[in-house]
């Protein structure tokens, strides 16, 4: 298997690629429910914490971890409830304590 460092580097590369994507706007036919970013860890891993770096405008957000490959925001169990990140926070730490192949960050649009 891959070392923890290799997995972390792979996850960081996946995150950078995903962060470069343009998510559909709220008028898009593809936005059914909250927008989310999902990272595939390649195999089931224990996820103690998820660290979010940057991403100033993601309030409120929720972290979900599990093995369901279904591409819907609610497919895997949440790590607690909805969280908030202040604009002054560079890093947000979310304790999880779950296992899964997929880690998702779900952003709820409160403007509706």
């Amino acid at each position: 298997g891959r070392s923890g460092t290799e997995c972390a580097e792979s996850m960081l590369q996946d995150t950078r690629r995903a962060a470069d994507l343009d998510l559909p706007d709220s008028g898009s036919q593809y936005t059914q429910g909250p927008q989310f970013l999902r990272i595939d860890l390649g195999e089931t891993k224990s996820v103690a914490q998820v660290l979010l770096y940057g991403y100033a405008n993601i309030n409120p957000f929720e972290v979900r971890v599990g093995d369901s490959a279904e591409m819907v925001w609610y497919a895997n169990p949440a790590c607690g409830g909805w969280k908030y990140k202040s604009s002054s926070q560079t890093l947000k730490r979310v304790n999880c304590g779950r296992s899964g192949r997929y880690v998702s960050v779900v952003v709820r649009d409160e403007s509706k």
Side-chain angles (χ1 to χ4, degrees):
R2 297 186 302 175
S3 73
T5 301
E6 289 171 326
C7 289
E9 287 173 0
S10 173
M11 190 168 132
L12 180 59
Q13 289 171 356
D14 288 346
T15 303
R16 285 185 181 140
R17 280 194 295 273
D20 290 337
L21 295 177
D22 288 326
L23 294 173
D25 64 14
S26 59
S28 169
Q29 64 180 339
Y30 302 108
T31 10
Q32 299 297 320
Q35 294 183 4
F36 65 98
L37 164 69
R38 185 177 80 171
I39 298 169
D40 182 352
L41 301 177
E43 63 187 35
T44 298
K45 302 275 185 188
S46 178
V47 179
Q49 294 181 332
V50 175
L51 303 177
L52 297 175
Y53 182 79
Y55 297 101
N57 300 317
I58 62 166
N59 288 317
F61 71 93
E62 184 177 58
V63 173
R64 292 178 166 262
V65 175
D67 287 322
S68 175
E70 190 175 357
M71 281 299 290
V72 292
W73 70 271
Y74 52 81
N76 288 304
C79 299
W82 292 96
K83 311 278 189 269
Y84 289 85
K85 179 178 173 295
S86 74
S87 58
S88 64
Q89 283 180 296
T90 305
L91 179 70
K92 179 68 175 184
R93 183 182 316 265
V94 177
N95 292 323
C96 192
R98 295 192 175 278
S99 294
R101 177 176 173 165
Y102 302 99
V103 177
S104 298
V105 177
V106 181
V107 180
R108 184 172 66 201
D109 181 3
E110 290 196 323
S111 66
K112 296 177 180 176

